[in-house]
Amino acid sequence: MKRKLLRQTLNEWRANVWLIVEMIIVSAIVWYINDYLYVHVATRLEPTGFDTSHTYMAEFRYLPEGSRRYTDYGEATTERNRADLLSIIEAIRQRPDVEEVSLSANAEPYFQNFYGMGLNVADDTTEISIYYRQISPEHLRTVGYQPAEGFTIGQLEEALRQGKPLMTEFDKSSPHVSGHLSSTDLLNRRVKNPRDTSMTITIGGLLKPVKRTNIESEYFISYFEPIDMDQLEPRPNYKINIRVKPEADSRFPDSFNADRERLYRRGNTYISDIKPYSQIRDTADSDNLVTIRKYVAVMVFMLVSVFLGLLGTFWFRTQQRTPEIAIRKVNGATDRSVFGRLISEGLLMLAVATIPALLIDWQLCHYELNTVYGAQGYFSPGRFALTAGATAALMALMVAGGIWFPAYKAMRIEPARALADE
């Protein structure tokens, strides 16, 4: 049976070759899309390293000099603005519906800005590419950062109060590490201050990896420098982060805005806006979701094209082979065997097409033309096997779907009538 099927398929190679070429092209495209979707789904399933439920971000601004309410503090402007901002933060902290308040710069979840620096170990040649962030100690609890194994949030907060920076965990094999040290090797070792390499400082503790957004891998290495409140120069890139009590979340925005002008204005400093992090997350995700929908639409179009191509091809073949099918049935072939014969023919062509398609997929990985996934880069055996398997399964479903109706029609052929017509 198998030998006859192979011989018949080879005999019809002129009709089959273009269908196989179409399968190769579509299979490579579907694999590329599957790989893209795999990376984004796997990235989204990774832990973010933070928890922004019931959390808000408030922005502050300063009155312009031309405003009638503006007060000129002269040389004391920086000190007065600092005192006013800290007073506003403390006033927010005193609200009965607030659990915690923090100040941060470049450390707000779902913001895709990148402030990269190089971190050098004082007595070693290791250099680490870091994502530089500034936070107050309260920020750990406000946005729900997770301590690395062996640490507690209390210990990490105390390290920040002592002026020691924190880092996220990383392995020495990380692409952002040039050297032989991992994050645990840096504990209690001196590193050069990334903003002033003439100074050295001790790493105070480790956090679990922190992603910038849901749609970005966690392989970036974050460096959290404590904000020196006594030397703070308030700028609009600093953000106020507020965690509220769960039972007060639904009414917090309206309640806060009602009090904003009366309670949270000091001198020239005022709260200009407040947003829930859920809204910021949705905005950050929106562009990525649009791209995913486009990829899915292209994949569906390609699969439908295979379906229609197979449907038309095998419909025509069934019509051409009606006498042959009738003779087979006269000689004892069952409906099931006729159906299996046609389905097997399509799957055989798919198997032939899959081999060159896999070679194309491999080349896309080799030349880094597919989607990068964190520290794994462009290829890992498990990822390739999973996406190739998913592609083969989808293609097989489309092949079976495209052949099913012509095969069903073939099963319904009445041998006597077909032979009489012939």
Side-chain angles (χ1 to χ4, degrees):
M1 173 68 177
K2 294 180 180 178
R3 189 173 298 175
K4 289 181 179 179
L5 176 63
L6 181 60
R7 187 183 301 117
Q8 182 173 345
T9 304
L10 290 174
N11 289 337
E12 297 174 345
W13 69 270
R14 294 180 187 277
N16 292 336
V17 67
W18 293 112
L19 192 56
I20 291 174
V21 169
E22 180 187 10
M23 287 182 178
I24 293 171
I25 295 171
V26 172
S27 181
I29 294 173
V30 171
W31 174 86
Y32 180 89
I33 296 172
N34 275 333
D35 183 72
Y36 173 87
L37 295 176
Y38 169 87
V39 169
H40 283 270
V41 170
T43 300
R44 186 172 287 273
L45 292 177
E46 290 176 351
T48 58
F50 54 78
D51 174 18
T52 55
S53 56
H54 318 301
T55 307
Y56 294 76
M57 186 193 73
E59 298 182 84
F60 65 91
R61 293 289 185 270
Y62 299 111
L63 292 173
E65 293 186 10
S67 172
R68 60 183 181 83
R69 301 178 64 180
Y70 177 79
T71 301
D72 187 357
Y73 296 113
E75 295 181 356
T77 296
T78 299
E79 289 78 6
R80 182 57 188 265
N81 287 345
R82 179 192 309 129
D84 289 343
L85 177 60
L86 297 180
S87 176
I88 290 173
I89 292 174
E90 187 58 32
I92 296 173
R93 183 175 285 114
Q94 297 305 315
R95 289 180 63 97
D97 51 2
V98 168
E99 287 187 353
E100 192 55 271
V101 185
S102 67
L103 188 66
S104 64
N106 205 42
E108 300 77 44
Y110 309 116
F111 277 76
Q112 299 186 56
N113 52 336
F114 184 79
Y115 189 4
M117 288 186 172
L119 182 70
N120 295 280
V121 181
D123 58 350
D124 195 272
T125 58
T126 298
E127 183 176 358
I128 305 159
S129 297
I130 59 169
Y131 176 26
Y132 180 80
R133 308 176 180 221
Q134 291 179 292
I135 60 173
S136 65
E138 300 82 11
H139 195 66
L140 302 180
R141 295 183 191 271
T142 304
V143 298
Y145 285 158
Q146 301 297 311
E149 186 175 351
F151 293 92
T152 66
I153 286 294
Q155 291 174 328
L156 298 178
E157 286 178 331
E158 184 58 29
L160 289 170
R161 292 189 182 97
Q162 294 174 5
K164 297 179 180 179
L166 308 178
M167 294 187 71
T168 52
E169 291 180 305
F170 62 88
D171 190 78
K172 58 187 176 184
S173 62
S174 167
H176 298 284
V177 177
S178 175
H180 60 282
L181 299 180
S182 66
S183 54
T184 52
D185 297 326
L186 291 184
L187 291 174
N188 300 316
R189 295 186 68 162
R190 307 291 291 183
V191 298
K192 295 181 180 180
N193 189 320
R195 292 198 301 165
D196 184 358
T197 55
S198 64
M199 300 174 59
T200 60
I201 195 167
T202 302
I203 301 298
L206 299 176
L207 291 163
K208 290 184 177 179
V210 176
K211 296 166 64 173
R212 290 192 297 180
T213 70
N214 285 332
I215 59 178
E216 181 179 74
S217 183
E218 62 184 20
Y219 79 110
F220 286 109
I221 300 172
S222 292
Y223 175 95
F224 297 92
E225 182 178 84
I227 297 174
D228 186 348
M229 295 298 187
D230 295 331
Q231 301 297 322
L232 175 67
E233 296 183 13
R235 298 183 300 274
N237 67 307
Y238 285 96
K239 311 296 181 185
I240 301 171
N241 307 276
I242 308 167
R243 176 172 288 276
V244 305
K245 296 177 180 178
E247 62 273 15
D249 195 0
S250 60
R251 60 180 181 273
F252 177 77
D254 292 337
S255 174
F256 184 90
N257 285 322
D259 297 334
R260 190 164 68 179
E261 180 65 24
R262 179 172 58 90
L263 299 179
Y264 309 124
R265 178 187 289 274
R266 301 287 190 278
N268 297 325
T269 308
Y270 65 98
I271 300 295
S272 61
D273 192 20
I274 184 168
K275 296 177 182 177
Y277 269 110
S278 58
Q279 178 183 338
I280 298 171
R281 176 199 61 213
D282 293 343
T283 301
D285 285 357
S286 61
D287 290 342
N288 182 70
L289 293 175
V290 168
T291 303
I292 289 176
R293 291 190 189 103
K294 290 179 180 177
Y295 273 81
V296 171
V298 171
M299 181 167 66
V300 170
F301 173 79
M302 290 295 170
L303 292 174
V304 169
S305 72
V306 171
F307 174 81
L308 294 176
L310 288 165
L311 180 65
T313 299
F314 279 86
W315 186 291
F316 177 75
R317 286 188 181 186
T318 302
Q319 299 300 318
Q320 294 292 103
R321 292 162 63 178
T322 297
E324 174 194 337
I325 294 170
I327 293 172
R328 287 181 182 277
K329 297 189 73 172
V330 167
N331 289 317
T334 63
D335 289 348
R336 185 174 181 179
S337 66
V338 172
F339 182 84
R341 174 81 176 216
L342 294 174
I343 291 291
S344 298
E345 193 174 335
L347 293 178
L348 176 61
M349 287 189 288
L350 176 61
V352 172
T354 297
I355 296 173
L358 286 174
L359 293 175
I360 294 173
D361 301 340
W362 172 263
Q363 290 299 309
L364 290 174
C365 294
H366 178 71
Y367 290 105
E368 300 183 351
L369 298 175
N370 57 325
T371 309
V372 64
Y373 177 34
Q376 290 186 13
Y378 294 88
F379 174 81
S380 69
R383 167 184 166 188
F384 187 81
L386 183 62
T387 53
T391 300
L394 281 172
M395 292 293 293
L397 284 174
M398 290 302 102
V399 168
I403 296 174
W404 180 85
F405 190 71
Y408 175 79
K409 295 287 288 184
M411 288 191 300
R412 309 303 295 176
I413 290 174
E414 290 292 339
R417 182 173 179 180
L419 293 174
D421 291 341
E422 185 65 17

